[in-house]
Amino acid sequence: LDYYAVYRDSVEGFALGEPIAYTTEAYFEDAEPPPLSEWWYRVTAFDFGGNESEPSGSAGVTGTAVADFPTRFHLAPAAPNPFRSHTEIAYEIPLELAGARVTLKIFDSSGRLVRTLVDGVRPPARHSASWDGTDSHGRPVASGVYFCRIVVGENEARRKVMLLR
């Protein structure tokens, strides 16, 4: 085995055209993936005689260009705030927090948990969660001041939100 040729297309099982790269390594990092899309890769191997193998099966990837990732952990103010029927809570997860567990919870003014909006791993990106002013059982909560608390790995942020009925 001398080297590999790497091919990319937007269609699974695509016919090979021009390779996007050649490598001697058993792995490949695409430095210029198409932004905000799904793409497919296939690989062939070349021996020292210049003979090319049959292509591999397709491996699909869906992603975002690295330049589109947030650069910092951030919890934005809820909007609208104050709100009557629902509010959006936007947050950003930077690349360095990839794989971290995310929890976004709503607490009342005495610190009691009202509702969990997010609980799980989220990819690095800009996200938002909607709160409709109900508790974890779907019952409307009273007008008042509430607190959004997000924890991503070791990072934490809080914001006030006001519900007006």
Side-chain angles (χ1 to χ4, degrees):
L1 179 67
D2 191 15
Y3 61 94
Y4 299 97
V6 181
Y7 302 85
R8 178 182 63 213
D9 201 301
S10 60
V11 178
E12 184 177 6
F14 62 93
L16 301 184
E18 283 295 312
I20 63 166
Y22 296 98
T23 182
T24 58
E25 303 296 330
Y27 63 90
F28 174 73
E29 183 176 332
D30 193 347
E32 297 181 16
L36 303 172
S37 64
E38 178 176 75
W39 55 96
W40 298 89
Y41 294 90
R42 297 180 86 181
V43 177
T44 60
F46 285 82
D47 65 17
F48 287 99
N51 301 305
E52 186 174 19
S53 71
E54 291 294 315
S56 67
S58 299
V61 178
T62 301
T64 303
V66 172
D68 291 338
F69 285 126
T71 57
R72 64 188 173 109
F73 166 70
H74 179 67
L75 176 62
N81 189 17
F83 75 101
R84 292 188 187 283
S85 62
H86 78 279
T87 190
E88 289 292 318
I89 303 159
Y91 58 97
E92 297 179 0
I93 302 172
L95 190 58
E96 62 265 15
L97 294 177
R101 181 172 175 224
V102 177
T103 59
L104 177 59
K105 298 179 179 188
I106 306 295
F107 295 88
D108 66 16
S109 58
S110 63
R112 289 185 299 252
L113 177 63
V114 173
R115 178 120 178 239
T116 299
L117 301 178
V118 176
D119 187 3
V121 175
R122 297 292 184 271
R126 291 171 183 84
H127 300 272
S128 71
S130 182
W131 183 42
D132 61 3
T134 61
D135 66 14
S136 59
H137 301 288
R139 298 178 299 229
V141 296
S143 293
V145 175
Y146 293 85
F147 297 89
C148 303
R149 177 177 177 244
I150 190 169
V151 176
V152 181
E154 301 294 319
N155 299 276
E156 178 181 333
R158 298 169 192 258
R159 293 280 186 173
K160 287 183 189 179
V161 62
M162 183 176 286
L163 171 62
L164 300 174
R165 295 272 183 209

